[in-house]
Amino acid sequence: MALVIAGDRSGVGKTTITLAILSFLIRHGFKVQSFKVGPDYIDPMFHHYVTGRPCRNLDAVLTSESYIQSCFSRHIQDVEFAIIEGVMGLFDGVRFPMDDPPQPPLIRGETVTDSLYDNSYASTAYIARLLDLSVLLVIDCSRLSGSVAAIAHGFRSFDPELKIAGLILNRVGSDRHLELLTNALKPLNLPIFGVLRRQDNITIPDRHLGLVPTDELPHLNPLIHQLADLAHTCFNWDLLLPLLRTQFFGNERTTKDTKNTEKERKEYPLYLAHERLFVKSENQKKKLRIAVARDRAFSFYYQDNLDLLEDLGAELIFWSPLQDKGLPDDINGLYLGGGFPEVFAKELSENYGVLRDVKNAILSDIPTYAECGGLMYLCESLIDFNGNSWPMVGVLPTTTVMSKQLTLGYKRGIVLQESPLFAAGSLVYGHEFHRSRLTNEPLSPLYHLWRYDDKIGEGIGEGWGLSQLHASYLHLHWGAHPEIPGRFLQNCDRVQK
């Protein structure tokens, strides 16, 4: 049905191998859907660049198990092949909160003890089990020979319910090195799906939050061609293609499958959203216009969030805080996603017309959602890594200061005040990933947040709520919670009237 590309740890080459497989399939004219485990924004950009289709995030913390199943099912219906890129190591996840136990059917099985799985909720292995998919394990062999067998055996036996289809050996040196690896692995009878030699000439640039986004890489096509060439010679496609192929494509679907698809559609949260959140009035003559900032400085958006806004009756107007002279005309709402405003702080600070328009729109109570980089943009100023200070929109009475310290991880929280997205008292699940801090924290914070795997405790106050503004470092995925964009659009509709 599809294949999961996993690693024994971070940095083993999962993204490079996934892109190589995608590039090869696209070169040969196949329709391919990709997915990414976890909350990452940047790896999916590369998937999208190669396939021309938005990559979908599969995150059990930010959404739900049922949403992951329906999302996966819906997006493989019209493609020939599907691939899921894992996150970190195969079993790397989070500890499930003791005060919020998992729901059946994913309570751990009897074959694996709880102690082994304490920290693997939402991991790549968890998603593979949830979707009943096979896993290809990528091993970085650059500093290994015979020990590769111990690693492979350990990963295969750790969870007998998980289907390890085989291995991809990455960063192999000489022919002698490959011989040592394959001889060590023979007793395991574990198929080798691919062997990639050390590729010093194939690199994807990175910086302080991971890979450099595709919009900043004008010469990406030669790299994609290199990866397709590499995939042609390095993978055993006779083994690989059957596992990548989706179960039902073209006219092979049965009546039973069609009924199952309809059932999944009705279980999809958007269906409930239309039933419970009457957003688009029959008397509404035009769609609500939501200005979505999207350029090199602001590019962190989950495609599912954008899809939900459109499906709930919004018209998305994409615009650039870097290049446009002002906000789009006649907007009903404003969406400022995350990204890298710190990298483009100078250019952003010099676009006076946009800074003025954004400030005036927020002060005039246009419902606004600002997330991470969007929050930073709304501060009085931004101090970059070199200590330079750049004026920003100035709606929030605080300054963003870039720092080497990384804030990273899943959070749970309670909404403390009414906002365009939430009612006070709502429980929220999100993810933080930034290297910055604010000089002044809000006196009346938007959220009370604590680490996801902690019990409800002291936590911290975070986020700014000002009239129709919701601004926070917390990244949100709305897929399993259509009431969030529903409430946002309801507020936009009220402003329009």
Side-chain angles (χ1 to χ4, degrees), residues 378-394:
L378 298 185
C379 294
E380 291 176 340
S381 60
L382 188 156
I383 300 176
D384 63 23
F385 286 110
N386 297 319
N388 301 311
S389 180
W390 308 100
M392 294 286 115
V393 172

Side-chain angles (χ1 to χ4, degrees), residues 138-152:
V138 179
I139 300 179
D140 179 356
C141 300
S142 59
R143 294 174 176 84
L144 289 174
S145 57
S147 297
V148 70
I151 294 173

Side-chain angles (χ1 to χ4, degrees), residues 121-365:
Y121 178 66
S123 66
T124 303
Y126 195 89
I127 300 301
R129 291 182 67 201
L130 173 64
L131 298 175
D132 193 25
L133 298 177
S134 297
V135 175
L136 272 190
L137 183 66
V138 179
I139 300 179
D140 179 356
C141 300
S142 59
R143 294 174 176 84
L144 289 174
S145 57
S147 297
V148 70
I151 294 173
H153 173 68
F155 272 81
R156 181 169 67 173
S157 61
F158 185 78
D159 180 359
E161 295 182 10
L162 193 65
K163 298 180 291 188
I164 305 290
L167 306 175
I168 293 179
L169 306 182
N170 193 23
R171 298 170 187 150
V172 175
S174 63
D175 290 342
R176 174 58 179 162
H177 184 205
L178 178 59
E179 182 181 2
L180 292 171
L181 295 168
T182 54
N183 285 341
L185 289 166
K186 279 181 182 178
L188 299 182
N189 292 316
L190 200 55
I192 297 174
F193 281 68
V195 175
L196 283 79
R197 302 298 180 118
R198 294 169 186 167
Q199 303 290 332
D200 295 332
N201 62 328
I202 297 180
T203 58
I204 304 175
D206 60 5
R207 60 177 176 226
H208 59 283
L209 290 182
L211 299 178
V212 175
T214 54
D215 285 347
E216 298 179 51
L217 300 175
H219 305 296
L220 190 54
N221 281 341
L223 173 64
I224 301 304
H225 292 313
Q226 280 182 286
L227 290 173
D229 292 340
L230 186 69
H232 177 73
T233 59
C234 293
F235 296 126
N236 184 333
W237 288 101
D238 290 336
L239 293 177
L240 196 53
L241 283 178
L243 291 179
L244 289 167
R245 188 176 295 278
T246 56
Q247 190 171 0
F248 306 111
F249 179 75
N251 296 321
E252 297 178 10
R253 291 175 57 198
T254 66
T255 303
K256 179 181 177 182
D257 303 315
T258 303
K259 290 180 179 178
N260 287 338
T261 302
E262 177 65 15
K263 180 175 180 290
E264 288 163 356
R265 185 191 74 81
K266 293 213 171 185
E267 290 176 348
Y268 175 44
L270 180 59
Y271 177 83
L272 299 180
H274 280 300
E275 294 295 307
R276 299 175 184 171
L277 300 168
F278 191 69
V279 176
K280 188 177 179 183
S281 168
E282 293 181 2
N283 296 323
Q284 188 176 306
K285 294 182 179 180
K286 61 179 181 179
K287 292 185 176 182
L288 298 170
R289 290 168 54 87
I290 308 300
V292 181
R294 189 161 72 177
D295 57 17
R296 290 172 299 153
F298 302 97
S299 56
F300 290 5
Y301 296 95
Y302 294 124
Q303 184 63 40
D304 291 12
N305 287 11
L306 301 177
D307 290 348
L308 272 169
L309 287 172
E310 288 187 317
D311 291 341
L312 290 171
E315 177 186 3
L316 303 186
I317 312 298
F318 295 104
W319 66 287
S320 170
L322 284 171
Q323 297 182 340
D324 290 342
K325 295 181 180 179
L327 277 174
D329 295 331
D330 302 323
I331 63 170
N332 308 109
L334 183 57
Y335 187 177
L336 300 166
F340 291 101
E342 66 273 22
V343 175
F344 302 97
K346 182 177 185 295
E347 293 94 321
L348 290 170
S349 70
E350 293 174 347
N351 196 341
Y352 307 113
V354 165
L355 294 177
R356 180 194 63 240
D357 281 5
V358 171
K359 185 173 185 177
N360 289 340
I362 294 173
L363 293 178
S364 64
D365 282 344

